[in-house]
Amino acid sequence: MSLRHAVLGLLAREPGSGYDLMKLFDDSLRTVWPATQSQLYGELSRLADAGLVRVGASGGRGRKEYSITDAGRTELRTWLLSGPSRGARSEMLLRLCFLGQVEPAEARAYLRHQAELAAKELAELEAVERLVPEHGRLAFELGLRHVRVRQEWAAWAEERLAESVASMAE
Amino acid sequence: MSLRHAVLGLLAREPGSGYDLMKLFDDSLRTVWPATQSQLYGELSRLADAGLVRVGASGGRGRKEYSITDAGRTELRTWLLSGPSRGARSEMLLRLCFLGQVEPAEARAYLRHQAELAAKELAELEAVERLVPEHGRLAFELGLRHVRVRQEWAAWAEERLAESVASMAE
DNA sequence: CGTAGCATGTAATGAGTTACATGATTCA
DNA sequence: TGAATCATGTAACTCATTACATGCTACG
């Protein structure tokens, strides 16, 4: 139930229409919490029904400008400070659990590929580091560190696998 | 669509009933890819319809023992070696994006709490490290490194916030 | 004989994705 | 006037969660 909170978070910064939010999701929240247009408009209706946002001025072209209410701010604050919810799925870890099911050589190739992907991602992040706004700094740093461990780990894992293949060949 | 592959992965190791799989999910896959009993039984039917698993001996108490087919193994292998699928949501990162919406003191307390949680988790993982079977070593190591960065990052973030609060008080 | 554990399923609800459908305004 | 952009919505489908419902069997 976190799309709701993402919308509240954005509207807490400044009011906007569904269309505006859509762009914000696409520009800056895409990698963290993807959402589609359908979902957004639906959620905005539900938030309005629940009294967490309100429709202000209705501009041209059917535009509805939403803004957050006090109840909405309270809800946002509660969620922000609440503990981490359980149930995080990781497709990466799941693949790893079963990587033993393919040929060692294939597994090595897979890990090498992962290391390369992570390295590329890391380079991209480092390139845009200076452009990150102050309010996004903490999130960016965590993302950066995660990518870095993924890269280091994949390199380590590939080497480890290479050793065990070599020792079996003796 | 990865529950499907988790089931295939388990059945590739050895055949079993829905009930058996349920226990495996609860024991070892819980933290990586949680699934409920309902989901499992539904997925097994669909997998059987798709010809990726087959029902072998039907034991007592209505037990149906499923085993993987060649088509199933092919599907599993394809998935294992396929690139990382996009669309990973991170509630943690989402919260971070909006952490600026609460009082700095509250944000600091939140981060300190996160650091403590991660430290505890890390201690638990290190305590069971020796018990990890060889085939789960890679996944375990990645999990370990992730928790470690989370802990280090939370400590770093809290300190950073403390500094900026102090400099504003001058 | 009762209960713990084995074993399978259905129904309702909520969340997410894709595709479709429609209309207004700006500007070249 | 035609295309790009602004703007909102609906429908169909899949996936996940919770709760409910049922029945068999081993064993103490």
Side-chain angles (χ1 to χ4, degrees), chain A residues 5 62 67 77 83 136:
Chain A
H5 300 112
S67 51
R77 194 175 158 286

Side-chain angles (χ1 to χ4, degrees), chain B residues 3-149:
Chain B
L3 172 64
R4 153 159 305 202
H5 301 110
V7 170
L8 287 174
L10 290 176
L11 290 179
R13 291 220 192 102
E14 59 176 335
S17 66
Y19 192 84
D20 293 337
L21 291 176
M22 221 179 75
K23 278 184 297 178
L24 289 173
F25 266 90
D26 262 14
D27 291 349
S28 50
L29 244 42
R30 188 177 71 262
T31 56
V32 169
W33 204 274
T36 60
Q37 177 257 51
S38 296
Q39 239 182 311
L40 244 43
Y41 284 105
E43 194 59 47
L44 281 169
S45 298
R46 265 169 275 140
L47 281 166
D49 288 349
L52 304 180
V53 305
R54 115 177 42 89
V55 186
S58 296
R61 292 182 260 210
R63 176 188 175 93
K64 296 179 194 169
E65 189 159 88
Y66 291 93
S67 51
I68 194 168
T69 63
D70 286 346
R73 264 179 220 283
T74 304
E75 169 64 25
L76 177 63
R77 195 176 159 285
T78 304
W79 171 77
L80 275 172
L81 300 177
S82 68
S85 69
R86 279 301 57 192
R89 293 179 162 81
S90 165
E91 198 169 324
M92 171 102 215
L93 282 180
L94 186 61
R95 277 208 187 83
L96 250 39
C97 289
F98 301 119
L99 199 60
Q101 308 277 337
V102 301
E103 296 297 316
E106 283 183 317
R108 268 192 71 191
Y110 173 78
L111 291 170
R112 191 158 46 240
H113 184 225
Q114 290 301 315
E116 280 161 19
L117 281 179
K120 202 156 67 170
E121 214 176 313
L122 191 57
E124 280 165 18
L125 286 177
E126 278 166 351
V128 299
E129 187 158 14
R130 294 168 311 128
L131 308 172
V132 176
E134 188 54 31
H135 75 265
R137 195 74 191 102
L138 293 186
F140 181 85
E141 182 72 23
L142 183 57
L144 191 67
R145 292 184 183 206
H146 267 118
V147 175
R148 205 174 277 144
V149 295

Side-chain angles (χ1 to χ4, degrees), chain A residues 56-137:
Chain A
S58 295
R61 290 183 262 211
R63 178 189 174 91
K64 296 180 195 169
E65 191 160 86
Y66 290 93
S67 51
I68 195 168
T69 63
D70 286 346
R73 264 179 220 283
T74 305
E75 170 64 24
L76 177 62
R77 194 175 158 286
T78 305
W79 171 78
L80 275 173
L81 301 176
S82 68
S85 69
R86 281 298 60 192
R89 293 180 161 80
S90 164
E91 197 168 324
M92 171 104 216
L93 282 180
L94 186 61
R95 277 209 187 83
L96 250 39
C97 288
F98 301 120
L99 199 60
Q101 308 276 337
V102 301
E103 296 298 316
E106 283 183 318
R108 267 192 71 188
Y110 173 78
L111 290 170
R112 191 159 47 241
H113 184 225
Q114 289 302 314
E116 280 161 18
L117 281 180
K120 201 156 67 171
E121 215 177 312
L122 191 57
E124 280 165 18
L125 286 177
E126 278 166 352
V128 299
E129 186 157 14
R130 296 168 310 126
L131 308 173
V132 176
E134 188 53 31
H135 74 263
R137 196 73 190 101

